[in-house]
Amino acid sequence: MRPLSSFGLRAALAAFVFLLAVPASLAQQPIKVGIVTFLSGPAAGPFGIPARNAAELTAELLNAGTVPAPYTQKGFGGTPIELVIIDEAGGPQKQVAEYRNLVPRVDIVIGYISSGDCLAIAPVAEEQKKLTVLFDCGTPRIFEDASYKHVFRTGPTGTMDNVSVALYLVERTPNVKSIAGLNQNYAWGQDSWADFENAMKTLKPGIEVKTSQMPKLFAGQFGAEITTLLGSGAEVIHSSMWGGDLEGLVLQGAPRGLFEKHKVVLSAGEPAINRLGTRIPDGTILGARGPFGPFAPDTDLARWLKTTYQDRYHVPPNYASFKMTQAILGVKAAYEKAKGNGKEAPDQDKIIAALENLTFQGPGGPVKMALGKGHQAIMDAAVGTTKVEGGELKIVDIARYSAAKVNPPDGVKSEAWIKSGLKK
Amino acid sequence: MSLPMSSILPIAFDGIAYASWLFLISAGLTLIYGVMHILNVAHGSLYALGAYAACSLAGAWLGGGLPAAGSFAMLLLAAILVGSLVGPLIERGLLQWMYGKDEVVLVLITYAVFLIMEDVIKLVWGVDSLLLPEPYALPGTFQLGGLLYPVYNVLLIALALATGLAVAWALYRTRQGKVLLAVIHDREMSMAMGINVSRVYLATFAVGATLAALGGAFTAPTIAVTPGIGVEVIVLAFAVVVIGGLGSLGGAALGALLVGLVRSATVHYWPEAELFSIYAVMAMVLIARPKGLFAAQEARKI
């Protein structure tokens, strides 16, 4: 038998090392994260797809280890993550069935844009004992009407949006005497209007409510509603509309002078910036459901998300993108806190314990899991005003409100807190 | 309570404008039902297809720097293209094999077509909304009751009137229209008399599809064209044709006017009830006339 040449020896050694390495890599199973977001239907364009894009981008860059501090460790605690993405469309009943199918396939679920879906999923998540992180839906009722061990929400509630726009409005127009509303006729629109109306009544006792228009969700046409608002004599018009309804309102209302005759407040208007641009008239008060998108503080994390997202998708990330990335980073922070310096993957109970009352850095700034017994996030709020300058839409006169100022204390329901005079 | 003129005029105008839109989307639906006895759920996606095609064609026209007024012709062209291409494709490719089956089966088949077309729209145009505001803003605004209104709404009312009159003229004043009425009245007898019913069905479906697409194309400049607009429209269109009496063009016109005016007044005076106003009209009409306002007379066959 001929002795092996030095090249042959090196090749044999390399093959041996490779064979040893294979079982090791196979042993490192990825952490499967179920992502639920609208991939079809009217909410897909403004929210669902930007959220999915952010999830894919964040997962990929976390696995590559290129996310800024404090998230430089690859994946979750060094283990890569793998996404299983499903469509949120179809309504709460369908989503409950989809959720039950998803649970055995994943380690963690992050999802849900619709408040109706969140309300339906939360008790099922508890029953299935699966860590489920709600990333976007706004209704405060999830943790105000129930208590959960396995359910968290890493984004702020709609209460914060409407209290902050009310504060912003009263600071800038202290003599405001009348308001009117145009909101979609379902949980989101009704709750948003109730919070805004109550906050305004608290901040400006005696304020007159001229009319509250509640057109059907996705009605698209608002001719009669705009006529009524124009004739109402209200100084301020509040709308929490989103998606095609919001774009339709701006397209139909602007030529009729709705934005000139009234101060218009769009509490969830930020996603429309990229779509409508300068068609949103000057002087419109705009919220982004938190300090997201153009309201994000200038941090490494915010710059990283804005740059990488813009480079890949050629549009800026909107609040849905920010909130999805925030949810993934929140779970990563809890996972790594639970893992500590150990080598073993933490079990679900340890991750849950770590996420409760956690404070972590998101692309929108610090996030405190402060409400709902440590399961509901609060954040600072930001509100601004649109201004067209040099053919571009800008957000100016941005005001920030501390999380404590625009959220109720833990254990107090939002409605009661607002009606009590926003007292701490 | 007497209402000030400043309120009545805007409410009436809003109602008539909304009714015109409703009539545009309902006319084709009632025509197809009248002739073919098909409750065409795919009408909603033909409407959506008209809107998307209008955005693409008129968008390309305006993007090319061509005269803005020409965008109106593009809206019309989009409707004709959708109607004359997709309408016959559905009728020849699928529906013609299903005639004679139960009406419920045909509803399910057109529902399947609706779902397929919704996905085709997403495949072609994606899930982001499309905007085409230029034709809406181009004709400017006018004052009514102290409020600003877009002239485009007047154009929509004129279009609905012209469409209604053209369809009525074609039905009652032309030979082809009389052939169509004969088929509506008695399909078997018409076949026995040598009328090519298959061709009549093809033409009817194509015209119905064009009317649906026309509604979508001329609505596109007023809204954000998003996935799902067809679902919203089909429910409204069904309500209008049921109120008017299935298969009746005049019924669709009166149904649309009733719904439009009641909705407009509700939005103004009792906004909480807006969601139910259309169904309240439908319930009241059906209590008084279970087959709608102008239900077609059915010949008793011996």
PDB file of all heavy atoms in Angstrom, chain A residues 216 218-219 221, chain B residues 21-22 25-26 29 43-45 47-48 114 212 215-216 219 223 228-240:
ATOM      1  N   LYS A 216     -68.914  52.301   7.658  1.00  0.00           N
ATOM      2  CA  LYS A 216     -68.539  50.887   7.640  1.00  0.00           C
ATOM      3  C   LYS A 216     -67.054  50.746   7.299  1.00  0.00           C
ATOM      4  O   LYS A 216     -66.533  51.513   6.495  1.00  0.00           O
ATOM      5  CB  LYS A 216     -69.395  50.218   6.552  1.00  0.00           C
ATOM      6  CG  LYS A 216     -69.292  48.745   6.433  1.00  0.00           C
ATOM      7  CD  LYS A 216     -70.331  48.290   5.401  1.00  0.00           C
ATOM      8  CE  LYS A 216     -70.173  46.830   5.083  1.00  0.00           C
ATOM      9  NZ  LYS A 216     -69.008  46.531   4.276  1.00  0.00           N
ATOM     10  N   PHE A 218     -63.896  49.753   5.448  1.00  0.00           N
ATOM     11  CA  PHE A 218     -63.601  49.595   4.018  1.00  0.00           C
ATOM     12  C   PHE A 218     -64.707  50.174   3.122  1.00  0.00           C
ATOM     13  O   PHE A 218     -64.872  49.744   1.983  1.00  0.00           O
ATOM     14  CB  PHE A 218     -63.364  48.131   3.632  1.00  0.00           C
ATOM     15  CG  PHE A 218     -62.333  47.434   4.469  1.00  0.00           C
ATOM     16  CD1 PHE A 218     -62.527  46.131   4.912  1.00  0.00           C
ATOM     17  CD2 PHE A 218     -61.173  48.100   4.830  1.00  0.00           C
ATOM     18  CE1 PHE A 218     -61.576  45.505   5.709  1.00  0.00           C
ATOM     19  CE2 PHE A 218     -60.212  47.479   5.618  1.00  0.00           C
ATOM     20  CZ  PHE A 218     -60.421  46.180   6.053  1.00  0.00           C
ATOM     21  N   ALA A 219     -65.473  51.133   3.652  1.00  0.00           N
ATOM     22  CA  ALA A 219     -66.530  51.746   2.833  1.00  0.00           C
ATOM     23  C   ALA A 219     -65.911  52.430   1.617  1.00  0.00           C
ATOM     24  O   ALA A 219     -66.487  52.428   0.538  1.00  0.00           O
ATOM     25  CB  ALA A 219     -67.309  52.751   3.661  1.00  0.00           C
ATOM     26  N   GLN A 221     -65.861  55.185   0.267  1.00  0.00           N
ATOM     27  CA  GLN A 221     -66.465  56.447  -0.185  1.00  0.00           C
ATOM     28  C   GLN A 221     -67.045  57.188   1.015  1.00  0.00           C
ATOM     29  O   GLN A 221     -67.837  56.626   1.755  1.00  0.00           O
ATOM     30  CB  GLN A 221     -67.598  56.143  -1.161  1.00  0.00           C
ATOM     31  CG  GLN A 221     -67.180  55.249  -2.273  1.00  0.00           C
ATOM     32  CD  GLN A 221     -67.407  55.890  -3.626  1.00  0.00           C
ATOM     33  OE1 GLN A 221     -67.421  57.117  -3.746  1.00  0.00           O
ATOM     34  NE2 GLN A 221     -67.574  55.080  -4.616  1.00  0.00           N
TER      35      GLN A 221
ATOM     36  N   TRP B  21     -73.438  55.963  -8.305  1.00  0.00           N
ATOM     37  CA  TRP B  21     -72.373  54.971  -8.173  1.00  0.00           C
ATOM     38  C   TRP B  21     -72.982  53.581  -7.983  1.00  0.00           C
ATOM     39  O   TRP B  21     -72.567  52.609  -8.623  1.00  0.00           O
ATOM     40  CB  TRP B  21     -71.488  55.358  -6.980  1.00  0.00           C
ATOM     41  CG  TRP B  21     -70.440  54.376  -6.641  1.00  0.00           C
ATOM     42  CD1 TRP B  21     -69.325  54.084  -7.367  1.00  0.00           C
ATOM     43  CD2 TRP B  21     -70.394  53.534  -5.489  1.00  0.00           C
ATOM     44  NE1 TRP B  21     -68.584  53.115  -6.736  1.00  0.00           N
ATOM     45  CE2 TRP B  21     -69.217  52.763  -5.577  1.00  0.00           C
ATOM     46  CE3 TRP B  21     -71.221  53.356  -4.378  1.00  0.00           C
ATOM     47  CZ2 TRP B  21     -68.848  51.822  -4.607  1.00  0.00           C
ATOM     48  CZ3 TRP B  21     -70.864  52.442  -3.413  1.00  0.00           C
ATOM     49  CH2 TRP B  21     -69.692  51.690  -3.533  1.00  0.00           C
ATOM     50  N   LEU B  22     -73.998  53.515  -7.106  1.00  0.00           N
ATOM     51  CA  LEU B  22     -74.655  52.228  -6.862  1.00  0.00           C
ATOM     52  C   LEU B  22     -75.296  51.690  -8.138  1.00  0.00           C
ATOM     53  O   LEU B  22     -75.238  50.489  -8.426  1.00  0.00           O
ATOM     54  CB  LEU B  22     -75.753  52.382  -5.801  1.00  0.00           C
ATOM     55  CG  LEU B  22     -75.325  52.408  -4.346  1.00  0.00           C
ATOM     56  CD1 LEU B  22     -76.537  52.646  -3.455  1.00  0.00           C
ATOM     57  CD2 LEU B  22     -74.649  51.108  -3.953  1.00  0.00           C
ATOM     58  N   ILE B  25     -72.817  50.124 -10.595  1.00  0.00           N
ATOM     59  CA  ILE B  25     -72.335  48.781 -10.265  1.00  0.00           C
ATOM     60  C   ILE B  25     -73.461  47.750 -10.257  1.00  0.00           C
ATOM     61  O   ILE B  25     -73.207  46.556 -10.347  1.00  0.00           O
ATOM     62  CB  ILE B  25     -71.569  48.745  -8.916  1.00  0.00           C
ATOM     63  CG1 ILE B  25     -72.439  49.263  -7.792  1.00  0.00           C
ATOM     64  CG2 ILE B  25     -70.259  49.493  -8.998  1.00  0.00           C
ATOM     65  CD1 ILE B  25     -71.815  49.110  -6.421  1.00  0.00           C
ATOM     66  N   SER B  26     -74.713  48.209 -10.146  1.00  0.00           N
ATOM     67  CA  SER B  26     -75.830  47.260 -10.060  1.00  0.00           C
ATOM     68  C   SER B  26     -76.436  46.940 -11.409  1.00  0.00           C
ATOM     69  O   SER B  26     -77.058  45.876 -11.575  1.00  0.00           O
ATOM     70  CB  SER B  26     -76.941  47.825  -9.162  1.00  0.00           C
ATOM     71  OG  SER B  26     -76.409  48.249  -7.953  1.00  0.00           O
ATOM     72  N   LEU B  29     -75.259  43.735 -12.983  1.00  0.00           N
ATOM     73  CA  LEU B  29     -75.652  42.571 -12.176  1.00  0.00           C
ATOM     74  C   LEU B  29     -77.099  42.180 -12.457  1.00  0.00           C
ATOM     75  O   LEU B  29     -77.421  40.998 -12.654  1.00  0.00           O
ATOM     76  CB  LEU B  29     -75.487  42.913 -10.690  1.00  0.00           C
ATOM     77  CG  LEU B  29     -75.651  41.777  -9.701  1.00  0.00           C
ATOM     78  CD1 LEU B  29     -74.496  40.796  -9.801  1.00  0.00           C
ATOM     79  CD2 LEU B  29     -75.728  42.320  -8.276  1.00  0.00           C
ATOM     80  N   HIS B  43     -69.191  39.546 -10.238  1.00  0.00           N
ATOM     81  CA  HIS B  43     -69.409  40.948 -10.610  1.00  0.00           C
ATOM     82  C   HIS B  43     -68.505  41.866  -9.777  1.00  0.00           C
ATOM     83  O   HIS B  43     -67.979  42.851 -10.293  1.00  0.00           O
ATOM     84  CB  HIS B  43     -70.875  41.290 -10.352  1.00  0.00           C
ATOM     85  CG  HIS B  43     -71.366  42.483 -11.109  1.00  0.00           C
ATOM     86  ND1 HIS B  43     -71.628  42.464 -12.455  1.00  0.00           N
ATOM     87  CD2 HIS B  43     -71.639  43.744 -10.687  1.00  0.00           C
ATOM     88  CE1 HIS B  43     -72.054  43.657 -12.828  1.00  0.00           C
ATOM     89  NE2 HIS B  43     -72.063  44.452 -11.783  1.00  0.00           N
ATOM     90  N   GLY B  44     -68.330  41.516  -8.487  1.00  0.00           N
ATOM     91  CA  GLY B  44     -67.480  42.328  -7.603  1.00  0.00           C
ATOM     92  C   GLY B  44     -66.045  42.363  -8.085  1.00  0.00           C
ATOM     93  O   GLY B  44     -65.393  43.410  -8.066  1.00  0.00           O
ATOM     94  N   SER B  45     -65.532  41.223  -8.553  1.00  0.00           N
ATOM     95  CA  SER B  45     -64.128  41.229  -8.992  1.00  0.00           C
ATOM     96  C   SER B  45     -63.996  41.854 -10.386  1.00  0.00           C
ATOM     97  O   SER B  45     -62.929  42.386 -10.716  1.00  0.00           O
ATOM     98  CB  SER B  45     -63.516  39.835  -8.948  1.00  0.00           C
ATOM     99  OG  SER B  45     -64.385  38.911  -9.500  1.00  0.00           O
ATOM    100  N   TYR B  47     -65.696  44.489 -11.180  1.00  0.00           N
ATOM    101  CA  TYR B  47     -65.636  45.890 -10.751  1.00  0.00           C
ATOM    102  C   TYR B  47     -64.200  46.247 -10.331  1.00  0.00           C
ATOM    103  O   TYR B  47     -63.634  47.256 -10.758  1.00  0.00           O
ATOM    104  CB  TYR B  47     -66.615  46.087  -9.592  1.00  0.00           C
ATOM    105  CG  TYR B  47     -66.446  47.347  -8.777  1.00  0.00           C
ATOM    106  CD1 TYR B  47     -67.106  48.521  -9.122  1.00  0.00           C
ATOM    107  CD2 TYR B  47     -65.644  47.357  -7.639  1.00  0.00           C
ATOM    108  CE1 TYR B  47     -66.959  49.675  -8.354  1.00  0.00           C
ATOM    109  CE2 TYR B  47     -65.485  48.507  -6.874  1.00  0.00           C
ATOM    110  CZ  TYR B  47     -66.152  49.664  -7.235  1.00  0.00           C
ATOM    111  OH  TYR B  47     -66.000  50.798  -6.475  1.00  0.00           O
ATOM    112  N   ALA B  48     -63.617  45.360  -9.485  1.00  0.00           N
ATOM    113  CA  ALA B  48     -62.252  45.612  -9.004  1.00  0.00           C
ATOM    114  C   ALA B  48     -61.264  45.615 -10.166  1.00  0.00           C
ATOM    115  O   ALA B  48     -60.370  46.468 -10.235  1.00  0.00           O
ATOM    116  CB  ALA B  48     -61.863  44.548  -7.980  1.00  0.00           C
ATOM    117  N   PHE B 114     -64.877  34.509  -8.499  1.00  0.00           N
ATOM    118  CA  PHE B 114     -64.559  35.713  -7.718  1.00  0.00           C
ATOM    119  C   PHE B 114     -63.264  35.518  -6.928  1.00  0.00           C
ATOM    120  O   PHE B 114     -62.362  36.361  -6.964  1.00  0.00           O
ATOM    121  CB  PHE B 114     -65.732  36.009  -6.774  1.00  0.00           C
ATOM    122  CG  PHE B 114     -65.458  37.077  -5.749  1.00  0.00           C
ATOM    123  CD1 PHE B 114     -65.555  38.412  -6.085  1.00  0.00           C
ATOM    124  CD2 PHE B 114     -65.100  36.739  -4.454  1.00  0.00           C
ATOM    125  CE1 PHE B 114     -65.299  39.396  -5.149  1.00  0.00           C
ATOM    126  CE2 PHE B 114     -64.842  37.715  -3.513  1.00  0.00           C
ATOM    127  CZ  PHE B 114     -64.944  39.045  -3.855  1.00  0.00           C
ATOM    128  N   ALA B 212     -69.925  46.443 -15.010  1.00  0.00           N
ATOM    129  CA  ALA B 212     -69.237  46.300 -13.711  1.00  0.00           C
ATOM    130  C   ALA B 212     -67.891  47.011 -13.758  1.00  0.00           C
ATOM    131  O   ALA B 212     -67.537  47.777 -12.846  1.00  0.00           O
ATOM    132  CB  ALA B 212     -69.032  44.826 -13.386  1.00  0.00           C
ATOM    133  N   GLY B 215     -68.177  50.773 -13.685  1.00  0.00           N
ATOM    134  CA  GLY B 215     -68.339  51.264 -12.309  1.00  0.00           C
ATOM    135  C   GLY B 215     -66.998  51.345 -11.606  1.00  0.00           C
ATOM    136  O   GLY B 215     -66.680  52.345 -10.961  1.00  0.00           O
ATOM    137  N   GLY B 216     -66.197  50.291 -11.736  1.00  0.00           N
ATOM    138  CA  GLY B 216     -64.884  50.260 -11.081  1.00  0.00           C
ATOM    139  C   GLY B 216     -63.946  51.309 -11.639  1.00  0.00           C
ATOM    140  O   GLY B 216     -63.262  52.016 -10.883  1.00  0.00           O
ATOM    141  N   THR B 219     -64.847  54.742 -10.529  1.00  0.00           N
ATOM    142  CA  THR B 219     -64.729  54.926  -9.084  1.00  0.00           C
ATOM    143  C   THR B 219     -63.259  55.085  -8.699  1.00  0.00           C
ATOM    144  O   THR B 219     -62.930  55.749  -7.704  1.00  0.00           O
ATOM    145  CB  THR B 219     -65.330  53.713  -8.325  1.00  0.00           C
ATOM    146  OG1 THR B 219     -66.660  53.521  -8.793  1.00  0.00           O
ATOM    147  CG2 THR B 219     -65.372  53.956  -6.827  1.00  0.00           C
ATOM    148  N   ILE B 223     -61.097  56.826  -4.971  1.00  0.00           N
ATOM    149  CA  ILE B 223     -60.740  55.998  -3.810  1.00  0.00           C
ATOM    150  C   ILE B 223     -59.281  55.538  -3.912  1.00  0.00           C
ATOM    151  O   ILE B 223     -58.623  55.801  -4.908  1.00  0.00           O
ATOM    152  CB  ILE B 223     -61.635  54.737  -3.719  1.00  0.00           C
ATOM    153  CG1 ILE B 223     -61.481  53.864  -4.989  1.00  0.00           C
ATOM    154  CG2 ILE B 223     -63.081  55.106  -3.500  1.00  0.00           C
ATOM    155  CD1 ILE B 223     -62.109  52.505  -4.898  1.00  0.00           C
ATOM    156  N   GLY B 228     -59.718  43.751  -2.148  1.00  0.00           N
ATOM    157  CA  GLY B 228     -60.933  43.615  -1.333  1.00  0.00           C
ATOM    158  C   GLY B 228     -62.034  44.587  -1.699  1.00  0.00           C
ATOM    159  O   GLY B 228     -63.142  44.480  -1.169  1.00  0.00           O
ATOM    160  N   ILE B 229     -61.774  45.528  -2.625  1.00  0.00           N
ATOM    161  CA  ILE B 229     -62.851  46.498  -2.937  1.00  0.00           C
ATOM    162  C   ILE B 229     -64.041  45.803  -3.590  1.00  0.00           C
ATOM    163  O   ILE B 229     -65.170  46.253  -3.462  1.00  0.00           O
ATOM    164  CB  ILE B 229     -62.376  47.689  -3.805  1.00  0.00           C
ATOM    165  CG1 ILE B 229     -61.715  47.211  -5.098  1.00  0.00           C
ATOM    166  CG2 ILE B 229     -61.476  48.625  -3.044  1.00  0.00           C
ATOM    167  CD1 ILE B 229     -61.446  48.342  -6.078  1.00  0.00           C
ATOM    168  N   GLY B 230     -63.787  44.686  -4.245  1.00  0.00           N
ATOM    169  CA  GLY B 230     -64.876  43.949  -4.902  1.00  0.00           C
ATOM    170  C   GLY B 230     -65.840  43.334  -3.904  1.00  0.00           C
ATOM    171  O   GLY B 230     -67.042  43.228  -4.173  1.00  0.00           O
ATOM    172  N   VAL B 231     -65.341  42.945  -2.743  1.00  0.00           N
ATOM    173  CA  VAL B 231     -66.204  42.307  -1.729  1.00  0.00           C
ATOM    174  C   VAL B 231     -67.223  43.320  -1.221  1.00  0.00           C
ATOM    175  O   VAL B 231     -68.415  43.020  -1.082  1.00  0.00           O
ATOM    176  CB  VAL B 231     -65.361  41.831  -0.515  1.00  0.00           C
ATOM    177  CG1 VAL B 231     -66.205  41.085   0.486  1.00  0.00           C
ATOM    178  CG2 VAL B 231     -64.196  40.976  -0.973  1.00  0.00           C
ATOM    179  N   GLU B 232     -66.735  44.524  -0.943  1.00  0.00           N
ATOM    180  CA  GLU B 232     -67.620  45.547  -0.395  1.00  0.00           C
ATOM    181  C   GLU B 232     -68.735  45.887  -1.376  1.00  0.00           C
ATOM    182  O   GLU B 232     -69.893  46.060  -1.003  1.00  0.00           O
ATOM    183  CB  GLU B 232     -66.814  46.816  -0.078  1.00  0.00           C
ATOM    184  CG  GLU B 232     -65.671  46.598   0.885  1.00  0.00           C
ATOM    185  CD  GLU B 232     -66.096  45.900   2.157  1.00  0.00           C
ATOM    186  OE1 GLU B 232     -67.115  46.311   2.736  1.00  0.00           O
ATOM    187  OE2 GLU B 232     -65.429  44.927   2.558  1.00  0.00           O
ATOM    188  N   VAL B 233     -68.351  45.944  -2.637  1.00  0.00           N
ATOM    189  CA  VAL B 233     -69.278  46.390  -3.664  1.00  0.00           C
ATOM    190  C   VAL B 233     -70.360  45.355  -3.949  1.00  0.00           C
ATOM    191  O   VAL B 233     -71.523  45.691  -4.159  1.00  0.00           O
ATOM    192  CB  VAL B 233     -68.452  46.713  -4.924  1.00  0.00           C
ATOM    193  CG1 VAL B 233     -69.235  46.496  -6.182  1.00  0.00           C
ATOM    194  CG2 VAL B 233     -67.958  48.148  -4.844  1.00  0.00           C
ATOM    195  N   ILE B 234     -69.979  44.083  -3.936  1.00  0.00           N
ATOM    196  CA  ILE B 234     -70.949  43.065  -4.347  1.00  0.00           C
ATOM    197  C   ILE B 234     -72.114  42.994  -3.357  1.00  0.00           C
ATOM    198  O   ILE B 234     -73.262  42.784  -3.741  1.00  0.00           O
ATOM    199  CB  ILE B 234     -70.256  41.688  -4.547  1.00  0.00           C
ATOM    200  CG1 ILE B 234     -71.170  40.742  -5.327  1.00  0.00           C
ATOM    201  CG2 ILE B 234     -69.835  41.050  -3.243  1.00  0.00           C
ATOM    202  CD1 ILE B 234     -71.394  41.128  -6.730  1.00  0.00           C
ATOM    203  N   VAL B 235     -71.821  43.216  -2.076  1.00  0.00           N
ATOM    204  CA  VAL B 235     -72.888  43.178  -1.066  1.00  0.00           C
ATOM    205  C   VAL B 235     -73.875  44.322  -1.321  1.00  0.00           C
ATOM    206  O   VAL B 235     -75.095  44.128  -1.312  1.00  0.00           O
ATOM    207  CB  VAL B 235     -72.285  43.291   0.355  1.00  0.00           C
ATOM    208  CG1 VAL B 235     -73.373  43.332   1.406  1.00  0.00           C
ATOM    209  CG2 VAL B 235     -71.323  42.138   0.615  1.00  0.00           C
ATOM    210  N   LEU B 236     -73.332  45.514  -1.585  1.00  0.00           N
ATOM    211  CA  LEU B 236     -74.187  46.673  -1.868  1.00  0.00           C
ATOM    212  C   LEU B 236     -75.008  46.452  -3.135  1.00  0.00           C
ATOM    213  O   LEU B 236     -76.202  46.743  -3.184  1.00  0.00           O
ATOM    214  CB  LEU B 236     -73.318  47.923  -2.043  1.00  0.00           C
ATOM    215  CG  LEU B 236     -72.778  48.573  -0.781  1.00  0.00           C
ATOM    216  CD1 LEU B 236     -71.793  49.670  -1.146  1.00  0.00           C
ATOM    217  CD2 LEU B 236     -73.921  49.158   0.033  1.00  0.00           C
ATOM    218  N   ALA B 237     -74.335  45.929  -4.168  1.00  0.00           N
ATOM    219  CA  ALA B 237     -75.026  45.723  -5.449  1.00  0.00           C
ATOM    220  C   ALA B 237     -76.158  44.714  -5.293  1.00  0.00           C
ATOM    221  O   ALA B 237     -77.252  44.907  -5.834  1.00  0.00           O
ATOM    222  CB  ALA B 237     -74.024  45.254  -6.505  1.00  0.00           C
ATOM    223  N   PHE B 238     -75.927  43.667  -4.525  1.00  0.00           N
ATOM    224  CA  PHE B 238     -76.989  42.681  -4.298  1.00  0.00           C
ATOM    225  C   PHE B 238     -78.169  43.328  -3.591  1.00  0.00           C
ATOM    226  O   PHE B 238     -79.323  43.096  -3.942  1.00  0.00           O
ATOM    227  CB  PHE B 238     -76.464  41.510  -3.460  1.00  0.00           C
ATOM    228  CG  PHE B 238     -75.805  40.434  -4.279  1.00  0.00           C
ATOM    229  CD1 PHE B 238     -74.687  39.762  -3.802  1.00  0.00           C
ATOM    230  CD2 PHE B 238     -76.281  40.085  -5.534  1.00  0.00           C
ATOM    231  CE1 PHE B 238     -74.054  38.782  -4.560  1.00  0.00           C
ATOM    232  CE2 PHE B 238     -75.653  39.116  -6.299  1.00  0.00           C
ATOM    233  CZ  PHE B 238     -74.544  38.459  -5.814  1.00  0.00           C
ATOM    234  N   ALA B 239     -77.867  44.158  -2.589  1.00  0.00           N
ATOM    235  CA  ALA B 239     -78.939  44.826  -1.846  1.00  0.00           C
ATOM    236  C   ALA B 239     -79.777  45.686  -2.790  1.00  0.00           C
ATOM    237  O   ALA B 239     -81.015  45.649  -2.749  1.00  0.00           O
ATOM    238  CB  ALA B 239     -78.345  45.679  -0.734  1.00  0.00           C
ATOM    239  N   VAL B 240     -79.112  46.411  -3.679  1.00  0.00           N
ATOM    240  CA  VAL B 240     -79.836  47.310  -4.594  1.00  0.00           C
ATOM    241  C   VAL B 240     -80.712  46.510  -5.572  1.00  0.00           C
ATOM    242  O   VAL B 240     -81.887  46.849  -5.780  1.00  0.00           O
ATOM    243  CB  VAL B 240     -78.831  48.199  -5.371  1.00  0.00           C
ATOM    244  CG1 VAL B 240     -79.502  48.892  -6.540  1.00  0.00           C
ATOM    245  CG2 VAL B 240     -78.223  49.222  -4.434  1.00  0.00           C
TER     246      VAL B 240
END
